[in-house]
């Protein structure tokens, strides 16, 4: 079993120094998020993660959730750990105080989520899904509905689920076919099957609140005919006590590559009572509220898993002795972290993880500005950045999670293939993150379409000047900072060229750009990662100059940024070339050439 | 369960048309390998793979080999399938007729191995290891030893193993510590523990012949003090019948990420009787004979798994209906293979698989020339190509196996995470191939060191002119062929520049190049893959022009080569840049910056 220690120094550095916590604390409603509060929260979450949740990860992999006769028993220790999680008030830290939350900013709750996800993605999924349901209900449910359900979901006493997918309606929600028949009392009877429902059934709480997409009898075809319903596992009496069992059953759970601790349910709604959210046929809009946040949260899982895989590999590499260093006169065997190829792998893992984390924290900050600022321009800017970066956070970060976990196995050598080492689990667990909440290909199409191609690159016109400003500062600094800035600038130029081509070609035939949309997303992700690591390195140097903070940490930030500039950024020219010129053989490929 | 159909058209095209079977059949000893023989062997092997072995893959994943009290029970059906395999004479097709083999060329037996590996890597490992042991014994064992053991190993009646690794001696064989004490009768008593021993124990045959590295009492330290021993599970009486049980026990098997059907044994030699191969302290040289072939065979597993993953993903993509095509006026949902991003993934899978296969088949051809030619120059040339390309076949092909299997999961969307789809298994199974027989980092160091850096690039001076000649022919052809040739030429130029830097820097400080050796290997792998696909495309066009062969297949070869040129080759500039300039942050990284 491998330990997990939350990277609290890094988290605090990002939240306070790189992303200017003071400017968030200054927003109305976030006054309590002082530097001391941030330290205290991260410290305590780190302890719960390290001592309670992370030790369950491997056992939950070996003994996943089990199904029997419509009931699900979660992995050993999950129920107790969840109770401790609820008792500590952790579920509500980011939610509205009106419903029992702490109302802390997303820059902080996002870091706390990282701790849960690094500890165990399977465990972290339960509050993540509850959070999505809270979000949707907070924005769209009636006051009466909120009064009944919301507080217990915010505390975590009840959990929530999202019931979107059906056997023949995965990414394409227009094909949803579950039925909702209106009843005389204003409720609806929901009938249909939903698949891939995370924590759709479990034994950790008394009640589960399902949010379900379904169609009313007269609904128009396609995505405009979908409505959203609240379908509790147990109906709730007027006094708040639990009433009768709603016929919403988990009829099986999936046998999956990873996240065995997270039950993935097939739900059968058999005339279950549902309460309409908002109006009929407005379901998709309600769901989008929760999907945007869900995408940021899945991105969080990506780098959180990468962090765990990195810690696991680093610990192994620091202990495993094998062979002398190449070209060294000293023929004594050394720990493998000293071998150049292994050191490169470790730095690759670290640099990618920190790049993806920085983009996520940057985007979380924009969420906070949108939520609380009274400056309309600032809100519009922040909102544009969220729109643009949500697919990047989701896809770039989860691709990186897979790559880093895969490298982590390689660092372990033969032990990396042995389950007891822990290394394979992080790859198996994180693999789903590139698929659910919209596959990474769908994210890439969202990026080239809605987020860039269809608005003439307006969101990029907000982001790129911010990057240029920071690069100018790095360039002026000299030495490695100038080198880094120049490497990132190559990425910037390639992004600008790729974008110009995208805007042109998209008008004529979006298929060309869709062929290589993942390459464009990667190009933009690397640019943002390289930019924020360089920005972090500049701030770390300022800290060193001022004798502030942990010098080894600050030097590491500079070295990691340099590594990213040296080993990752040079791919940008290739990505641009493949994106803008690589579509012919795909588009001209006949069916029988595959 | 997903079907497997051996890509026989592709195999025959490569063996006969691209790699000129006639010139192999013309070698003394290979006369029987006529085109008809090749067709018949591939056809029959394809049937055995499809009908007998491939259907066991998924069940063997679910119920892997099990250990009880030093005995191992293999997965359901393995014993019967292995008996059928032996009965068909498949084990011996590549080995010396003097010992009961068919003596067919490696270009053919390598293709047949691909069929076993695509059907089930776990199953294929047993004959692969036996083959390695046969190889080592054929070259190094005494006539008496051969008389006792070899024929039954060639038929497959007995299997063989390689016992190299110990708990603290993985890649570093100099650290081997198992002991061999000479006895009065000329035998040795072997004592020690070996780990990660593939098919070290099983129930498919009556006897298992272990090849074991150990040290005699007076042996010098390090790799020069290692001897090789034959240690049979059961001693063999003079009449060839089985004698007493040798104390060579399997004391446990590993719980692994994949290849569950292949028992990975911890072997305890408890004073077991061993027979010295060749002389004391020559063990490493004997082992190297078998390691070179083993590396080519592991490379085969890489693209064989990729082929299986591709077939699995393609079948799914052709059936799964989801969403209309982007930018299309027709809003009908289509099968997902029509979506540009999915089509790109499928072509990426196909192109990488075919590139790795082509390099493997090309190298197999060189083996045949070395084995049978009486032209010394031709032998020297072929040997140089084998030396150079062995690490490429091993590492490039297995990296590709992982990437393709990972893409295969992605093509499946949510179903890709569900074990029943089959998709996750190909990733889990192939993951080990980048690790065993020398990790891919070790292969990359072998490439930049022994294969290029230490001989002044002499082997490349043989390979690169062959590439240039074919590129000139492609360039002269015009159209897409010229475009492809130009794309490959960029890779060639970058390889030449990277090599020039390597030869310079390696003299001063091999650590610089060792930092990015995997990038250099990838650069060379892409160059070779791009070259051989382009060469294949030219031949396919000639076939089309002559109205020979299956036109859809020939057009597909051209399109796939074009795809490789468009989507893979542009990375060469980045790989060169990272290799030649990306080492600073690695080499200057302090321990506490990780």
């Amino acid at each position: 079993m491998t330990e997990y220690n939350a990277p609290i120094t890094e988290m605090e550095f990002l939240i306070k120094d790189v992303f200017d916590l003071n400017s968030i604390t200054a927003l109305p409603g976030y006054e309590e998020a002082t530097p001391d509060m941030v330290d205290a929260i991260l410290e305590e979450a780190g302890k719960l993660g390290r001592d309670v949740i992370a030790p369950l990860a491997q056992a939950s992999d070996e003994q996943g959730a089990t199904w029997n006769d419509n009931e699900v028993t979660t992995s050993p220790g999950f129920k107790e750990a969840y109770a401790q999680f609820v008792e500590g008030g952790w579920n509500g830290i980011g939610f509205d105080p009106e419903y029992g939350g702490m109302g802390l900013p997303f820059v902080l709750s996002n870091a706390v989520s990282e701790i849960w996800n690094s500890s165990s993605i399977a465990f972290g999924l339960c509050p993540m899904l509850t959070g999505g349901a809270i979000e949707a209900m907070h924005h769209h449910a009636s006051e009466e509905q909120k009064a009944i359900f919301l507080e217990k979901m915010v505390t975590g006493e009840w959990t929530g689920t999202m019931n979107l997918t059906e056997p023949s309606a995965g990414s394409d929600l227009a094909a949803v076919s579950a039925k909702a028949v209106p009843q005389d009392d204003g409720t609806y009877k929901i009938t249909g099957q939903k698949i891939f429902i995370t924590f759709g059934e479990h034994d950790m709480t008394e009640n589960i609140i399902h949010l379900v997409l379904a169609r009313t009898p007269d609904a128009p075809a396609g995505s405009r005919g979908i409505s959203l319903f609240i379908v509790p596992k147990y109906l709730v009496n007027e006094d708040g006590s639990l009433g009768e069992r709603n016929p919403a059953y988990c009829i099986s759970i999936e046998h999956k590559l990873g996240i065995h601790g997270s039950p993935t349910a097939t739900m059968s709604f058999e005339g279950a009572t549902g309460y309409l959210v908002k109006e009929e046929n407005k379901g998709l809009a309600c769901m989008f509220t929760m999907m945007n946040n869900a995408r940021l949260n899945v991105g969080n899982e990506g780098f959180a898993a990468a962090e765990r895989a990195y810690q696991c590999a680093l610990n192994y590499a620091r202990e495993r002795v094998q062979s002398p260093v190449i070209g060294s006169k000293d023929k004594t065997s050394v720990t493998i972290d000293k071998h150049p190829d292994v050191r490169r792998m470790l730095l690759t893992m670290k640099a990618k993880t920190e790049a993806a984390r920085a983009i996520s924290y940057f985007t979380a900050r924009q969420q906070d500005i949108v939520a609380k600022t009274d400056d309309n321009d600032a809100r519009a800017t922040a909102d544009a950045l969220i729109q643009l970066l949500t697919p990047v956070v989701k896809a770039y970060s989860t691709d990186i999670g897979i790559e880093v976990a895969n490298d982590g196995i390689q660092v372990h050598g033969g032990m990396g293939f042995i389950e007891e080492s822990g290394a394979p689990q992080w790859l198996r667990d994180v693999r789903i993150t590139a698929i659910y909440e919209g596959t990474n290909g769908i994210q890439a199409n969202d990026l080239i379409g809605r987020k860039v191609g269809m608005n003439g690159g307006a969101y990029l016109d907000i982001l790129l000047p911010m990057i240029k400003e920071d690069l100018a500062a790095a360039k002026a600094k000299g030495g490695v900072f100038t080198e880094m800035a120049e490497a990132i600038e190559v990425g910037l130029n390639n992004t600008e060229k790729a974008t110009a081509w995208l805007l042109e070609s998209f008008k004529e035939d979006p298929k060309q750009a869709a062929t290589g949309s993942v390459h464009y997303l990667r190009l933009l992700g690397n640019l943002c990662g390289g930019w924020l690591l360089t920005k972090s390195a500049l701030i770390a140097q300022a800290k060193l100059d001022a004798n502030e903070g942990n010098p080894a940490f600050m030097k590491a930030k500079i070295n990691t940024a340099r590594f990213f500039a040296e080993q990752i950024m040079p791919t940008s020219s290739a990505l641009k070339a493949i994106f803008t010129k690589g579509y012919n053989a795909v588009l001209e490929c006949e069916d029988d050439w595959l």
Side-chain angles (χ1 to χ4, degrees), chain A:
Chain A
M1 188 53 214
T2 61
E3 264 194 9
Y4 164 68
N5 286 291
I8 289 178
T9 310
E10 156 93 351
M11 290 171 160
E12 291 178 357
F13 175 72
L14 285 177
I15 294 172
K16 293 185 200 170
D17 299 313
V18 181
F19 298 127
D20 189 15
L21 176 65
N22 289 339
S23 66
I24 298 295
T25 317
L27 293 170
Y30 286 153
E31 297 84 355
E32 287 184 28
T34 61
D36 286 349
M37 173 65 120
V38 167
D39 292 353
I41 292 268
L42 291 176
E43 199 70 44
E44 286 306 309
K47 280 185 201 161
L48 187 66
R50 183 191 63 207
D51 299 337
V52 176
I53 304 171
L56 300 176
Q58 204 159 3
S60 77
D61 184 57
E62 283 161 26
Q63 186 177 328
T66 50
W67 178 94
N68 184 36
D69 197 16
N70 299 351
E71 306 220 329
V72 169
T73 307
T74 48
S75 296
F78 264 42
K79 189 173 179 169
E80 295 74 16
Y82 185 77
Q84 215 172 321
F85 174 88
V86 170
E87 203 176 281
W90 290 107
N91 198 65
I93 63 168
F95 300 114
D96 194 339
E98 195 184 331
Y99 298 98
M102 279 179 74
L104 290 172
F106 192 47
V107 282
L108 180 53
S109 65
N110 184 50
V112 171
S113 294
E114 180 190 334
I115 295 176
W116 314 144
N117 289 330
S118 289
S119 299
S120 163
I121 291 187
F123 183 90
L125 274 162
C126 189
M128 181 188 297
L129 271 287
T130 305
I134 291 171
E135 204 72 36
M137 288 171 67
H138 192 265
H139 283 92
H140 303 291
S142 68
E143 286 310 316
E144 196 195 338
Q145 290 168 337
K146 288 185 194 174
I148 299 170
F149 298 106
L150 215 48
E151 195 157 328
K152 287 191 169 162
M153 292 173 74
V154 168
T155 60
E157 202 177 332
W158 296 348
T159 64
T161 72
M162 294 164 62
N163 285 251
L164 288 73
T165 306
E166 298 179 6
S168 46
S171 310
D172 182 12
L173 292 175
V176 157
S177 73
K179 290 199 182 75
V181 180
Q183 307 295 304
D184 292 343
D185 63 356
T187 67
Y188 291 73
K189 290 287 178 214
I190 312 290
T191 307
Q193 208 179 85
K194 296 283 178 178
I195 59 169
F196 298 162
I197 309 307
T198 299
F199 276 95
E201 179 59 50
H202 62 81
D203 57 0
M204 306 198 302
T205 58
E206 283 189 334
N207 207 2
I208 302 171
I209 311 305
H210 304 290
L211 292 189
V212 183
L213 288 186
R215 281 182 197 285
T216 52
D218 307 323
S223 58
R224 290 174 189 195
I226 300 173
S227 306
L228 182 66
F229 298 90
I230 299 168
V231 183
K233 176 178 172 184
Y234 287 97
L235 299 182
V236 182
N237 298 323
E238 286 200 6
D239 64 356
S241 64
L242 295 189
E244 62 178 303
R245 177 73 158 92
N246 212 0
Y249 300 114
C250 167
I251 56 171
S252 65
I253 62 174
E254 303 289 353
H255 172 215
K256 308 187 298 292
L257 175 61
I259 55 166
H260 298 160
S262 166
T264 303
T266 298
M267 297 297 300
S268 173
F269 295 91
E270 303 173 359
T273 298
Y275 309 102
L276 178 68
V277 177
K278 225 166 179 171
E279 300 163 40
E280 287 187 11
N281 304 330
K282 300 287 181 197
L284 215 61
C286 300
M287 224 56 181
F288 271 124
T289 309
M290 122 171 143
M291 258 160 38
N292 275 341
N293 265 5
R295 289 175 175 185
L296 297 178
N297 290 333
V298 170
N300 185 309
E301 292 180 315
F303 64 82
E307 172 69 32
R308 185 75 186 263
Y310 173 67
Q311 292 191 16
C312 185
L314 180 60
N315 286 339
Y316 183 81
R318 280 179 165 161
E319 286 180 6
R320 171 74 177 172
V321 173
Q322 186 93 147
S323 303
V325 172
I326 187 171
S328 163
K329 281 179 187 157
D330 184 352
K331 296 302 177 200
T332 316
S333 291
V334 297
T335 53
I336 60 170
D337 63 316
K338 304 286 193 292
H339 294 303
D341 178 62
V342 175
R343 214 165 182 81
R344 176 195 55 79
M345 283 194 277
L346 291 169
L347 277 165
T348 305
M349 296 171 76
K350 182 176 168 71
K352 287 179 174 176
T353 305
E354 292 184 11
R357 178 186 287 120
I359 302 171
S360 162
Y361 284 30
F362 174 79
T363 309
R365 171 187 161 76
Q366 310 310 319
Q367 292 270 61
D368 291 328
I369 295 170
V370 167
K372 300 291 181 187
T373 188
D374 42 24
D375 174 339
N376 287 340
D377 288 351
R379 189 185 312 110
T381 296
D383 188 58
L385 292 169
I386 294 169
Q387 295 301 322
L388 179 66
L389 293 177
T390 295
V392 177
V393 169
K394 197 286 182 178
Y396 182 70
S397 180
T398 56
D399 279 345
I400 277 178
I402 293 168
E403 292 162 16
V404 168
N406 187 50
D407 278 347
I409 288 177
Q410 196 67 18
V411 168
H412 281 77
M415 282 308 294
F417 200 62
I418 307 298
E419 289 288 359
E420 281 76 5
S421 72
Q425 186 184 348
W426 318 132
L427 177 61
R428 290 190 293 94
D429 280 358
V430 77
R431 187 62 190 82
I432 186 60
T433 63
I435 297 172
Y436 59 22
E437 287 308 317
T439 65
N440 286 2
I442 288 173
Q443 303 300 325
N445 280 344
D446 179 46
L447 177 65
I448 62 157
R450 269 187 292 268
K451 306 306 173 61
V452 177
M454 293 180 192
N455 66 22
Y459 298 155
L460 276 173
D461 292 340
I462 292 171
L463 177 68
L464 298 187
M466 299 174 73
I467 296 179
K468 286 177 188 171
E469 195 184 321
D470 286 322
L471 292 186
K475 238 175 162 173
K477 187 84 184 166
V480 292
F481 297 98
T482 303
E483 285 171 30
M484 285 183 222
E486 285 168 355
I488 315 301
E489 242 173 16
V490 175
L492 180 71
N493 293 339
N494 280 306
T495 305
E496 290 184 323
K497 283 178 197 158
T499 305
W501 177 82
L502 167 62
L503 295 178
E504 265 319 296
S505 72
F506 203 80
K507 280 181 252 166
E508 286 168 45
D509 182 2
K511 278 204 297 298
Q512 288 182 357
T515 300
S517 54
V518 297
H519 303 308
Y520 182 77
L521 189 146
R522 185 76 183 206
L523 177 61
L524 183 58
N526 282 340
L527 171 62
C528 293
W531 158 50
L532 291 174
L533 289 185
T534 300
K535 183 182 174 80
S536 300
L538 270 181
I539 293 168
Q541 184 61 53
K543 289 272 182 187
L544 281 171
D545 294 343
N547 271 323
E548 284 176 18
N550 174 344
F553 172 82
M554 299 303 166
K555 288 176 187 166
K557 287 305 293 183
I558 297 168
N559 190 66
T560 307
R562 189 184 185 196
F563 178 89
F564 196 92
E566 287 184 339
Q567 289 253 341
I568 311 289
M569 290 311 297
T571 58
S572 65
S573 310
L575 291 167
K576 188 266 286 172
I578 300 170
F579 177 60
T580 59
K581 292 180 192 151
Y583 50 83
N584 294 301
V586 180
L587 296 183
E588 294 173 22
C589 180
E590 307 270 341
D591 285 348
D592 61 355
W593 298 355
L594 284 171

